[in-house]
Amino acid sequence: MQTPVGPPTTALPVVVIGAGPVGLAAAAQLIDRGLEPLVLEAGPRAATAVREWSHIRLFSTWAELTDPAAGKLLAPTGWTGPDPAVCPTGGEWVAHYLQPLADALGDRVRYGARVTGVSRAGRDRIVDDGREAQPFVIQLAQPDGREERIAARAVIDASGTWSAPGPAGGGGLPALGEGAAADRISYRVPDLTDPEVRARYAGRRTAVIGTGASAFTALAALADLAGADDGSGTRTVWILRRGISGSTFGGGTADQLPARGALGLAAKKAVDEGHADAVTGFRTEAIEYDDRGRLVLVAEDGRRLDPVDEIIALTGFRPDLSFLSEIRLGLDERLQAPVALAPLIDPNQHSCGTVYPHGHRELAHPEQGFYAVGMKSYGRAPTFLALTGYEQVRSVAAALAGDTEAADRVELTLPETGVCGGSGLFDTATTTAAADQEPPGGCCSAPEPGALLRLTATDRPTERGTAP
């Protein structure tokens, strides 16, 4: 169990790393508890990562994207919450909530402050003697290269995972030749409303690697481009490391987040209408070139795909642990998430799409007073919701304030996906059941697609939490 950091550190601030949705919510929760936060943001403005996917519409509504303590902090500024039933874009989330919240926090948010290390004062990770009595020391670099150190009573790492996307390679390492082809590979969902970006993909053949919400978003957007006047000849090949089963496209009309269900159906429609050709059980080993300079994907089993012009690799994200080398972390060996949290979010295990709401106990590390929250807490696991992050920081703030009863209380009910995730992430290439059939080993299948919620390319929903 983690306990509040005692004297002499109690006069120091709680440092929050990252001014994204969960980091800003953490600051609001700390203020609500009478604790002083200091938010360190590497970018020049709040929510730097969200701004980079501002064109994407979330599948959570405004009611699920605003933190109660943040609302209390914003109320004196005259802020009124947007329509709670609407799903905003990332840009709208920033403009109408995240930046106003950062502005309300004022000098408690420092921009251009990139954290390069966290330690205990005078104690590297080896030293036990007097460790917990020492304040944390946060080393940061400023844009002009100057370095600085800040003392803190506790640290909440809400830096997310946006800066560390997964590679196109199927074994966790970049594919052979991936670095050389970097100028033809995107690790983000492209903004096809941008004329320059649109021209990059229009009339070309693109490989989309991945099976999550971001991949669905890209498939649907490229399908829209293919049907547009300026998109003639646009083709997509969808690369799946696993097979297609009843769970591949999500929960459909049974999803309690309707826009999330609609996103999976939009991706299925792109495949059904021939805009995207699915290739299953393909784990990329190398990226080579044909005699015309086009990219050729080669699988671990030796299969070679027809050449493509562009690659969009949407294979998830990883936590950056480099600046935490002097902090004693208790991480699951697979997910790089806290040991107690990992079983609740492990995609290798059968799941019907829910994660048990959790707080300070599941987020605890051997280093007392240190917590990673938001997407960072999930390590390599997907399916993070902003609601989950808000509950995390509510519990952590209560724990740091010494209110264990409130910290242990669960104040969140997560929505169901309406579909099982299947058993395991390493389906064989022969697992190619039709999309409306039961997944092997699963206990339920996706519902019949039913009516498709028609969405424009700029309105494809996805869930990002702190990052896509």
Side-chain angles (χ1 to χ4, degrees):
M1 173 183 172
Q2 295 208 10
T3 57
V5 180
T9 63
T10 51
L12 298 173
V14 176
V15 163
V16 179
I17 305 174
V22 178
L24 293 173
Q29 290 285 350
L30 290 166
I31 291 171
D32 198 46
R33 285 283 176 177
L35 302 177
E36 187 62 23
L38 175 61
V39 183
L40 302 177
E41 167 58 42
R45 296 175 294 176
T48 300
V50 179
R51 292 175 191 273
E52 293 191 24
W53 51 266
S54 60
H55 58 292
I56 301 296
R57 189 171 298 280
L58 289 94
F59 53 61
S60 290
T61 64
W62 273 115
E64 297 150 341
L65 294 171
T66 54
D67 175 74
K72 289 170 61 176
L73 194 64
L74 282 165
T77 70
W79 179 85
T80 57
D83 184 340
V86 170
C87 295
T89 64
E92 291 166 345
W93 199 14
V94 171
H96 301 303
Y97 172 67
L98 296 174
Q99 190 60 59
L101 176 55
D103 292 342
L105 288 166
D107 292 341
R108 294 182 174 104
V109 182
R110 283 189 55 182
Y111 301 108
R114 181 173 58 88
V115 174
T116 59
V118 181
S119 184
R120 291 278 192 178
R123 306 289 190 277
D124 62 24
R125 66 184 298 161
I126 299 175
V127 179
D128 292 330
D129 184 42
R131 185 177 191 84
E132 293 177 12
Q134 297 302 312
F136 287 92
V137 174
I138 295 85
Q139 186 155 314
L140 57 92
Q142 300 178 27
D144 61 5
R146 288 182 298 132
E147 293 184 312
E148 181 182 352
R149 287 182 176 176
I150 295 173
R153 62 176 294 179
V155 177
I156 299 176
D157 182 359
S159 59
T161 57
W162 177 253
S163 63
L173 299 175
L176 298 174
E178 185 170 342
D183 62 333
R184 311 267 289 280
I185 304 174
S186 173
Y187 299 90
R188 309 285 190 257
V189 177
D191 181 2
L192 297 183
T193 65
D194 182 317
E196 184 176 342
V197 176
R198 192 174 182 87
R200 175 176 176 175
Y201 297 97
R204 298 191 174 190
R205 179 175 167 85
T206 298
V208 175
I209 305 175
T211 54
S214 294
F216 291 168
T217 304
L219 290 171
L222 289 169
D224 279 346
L225 175 59
D229 292 340
D230 62 341
S232 177
T234 302
R235 297 290 303 164
T236 305
V237 56
W238 182 23
I239 311 299
L240 297 86
R241 295 173 179 173
R242 59 189 304 183
I244 294 180
S245 69
S247 64
T248 298
F249 296 98
T253 55
D255 197 319
Q256 289 185 12
L257 292 175
R260 180 173 60 188
L263 174 60
L265 296 178
K268 184 177 187 301
K269 187 172 187 286
V271 175
D272 290 346
E273 292 187 348
H275 295 300
D277 300 318
V279 178
T280 60
F282 192 98
R283 295 178 177 272
T284 306
E285 172 77 8
I287 300 173
E288 300 178 354
Y289 296 87
D290 71 355
D291 55 7
R292 296 171 54 193
R294 303 178 77 193
L295 303 176
V296 177
L297 277 73
V298 183
E300 293 174 354
D301 60 11
R303 282 183 291 163
R304 301 173 67 89
L305 299 184
D306 291 339
V308 298
D309 301 291
E310 299 284 342
I311 297 172
I312 302 174
L314 302 169
T315 58
F317 294 85
R318 301 171 174 185
D320 178 7
L321 303 173
S322 62
F323 61 89
L324 300 176
S325 61
E326 297 306 318
I327 292 296
R328 296 177 176 181
L329 302 177
L331 297 175
D332 178 76
E333 65 273 12
R334 293 168 300 166
L335 298 184
Q336 295 178 297
V339 170
L341 176 61
L344 306 180
I345 61 177
D346 187 353
N348 284 290
Q349 303 299 319
H350 175 78
S351 170
C352 283
T354 58
V355 175
Y356 184 79
H358 55 275
H360 72 116
R361 293 188 186 277
E362 292 82 1
L363 298 169
H365 287 279
E367 195 76 69
Q368 292 199 23
F370 175 87
Y371 299 89
V373 298
M375 279 295 299
K376 186 73 169 277
S377 72
Y378 268 43
R380 298 191 181 202
T383 66
F384 179 83
L385 293 173
L387 276 174
T388 302
Y390 295 160
E391 173 68 2
Q392 288 179 340
V393 296
R394 182 205 62 78
S395 174
V396 167
L400 290 174
D403 189 346
T404 304
E405 180 181 356
D408 288 340
R409 189 167 57 242
V410 175
E411 297 185 2
L412 172 64
T413 301
L414 290 168
E416 299 271 359
T417 64
V419 61
C420 283
S423 182
L425 291 180
F426 207 89
D427 293 350
T428 63
T430 57
T431 306
T432 55
D436 59 351
Q437 292 179 343
E438 183 174 342
C443 67
C444 61
S445 61
E448 293 296 327
L452 174 68
L453 174 62
R454 183 60 184 167
L455 301 166
T456 67
T458 57
D459 284 345
R460 297 296 183 191
T462 189
E463 183 58 40
R464 291 293 187 269
T466 58

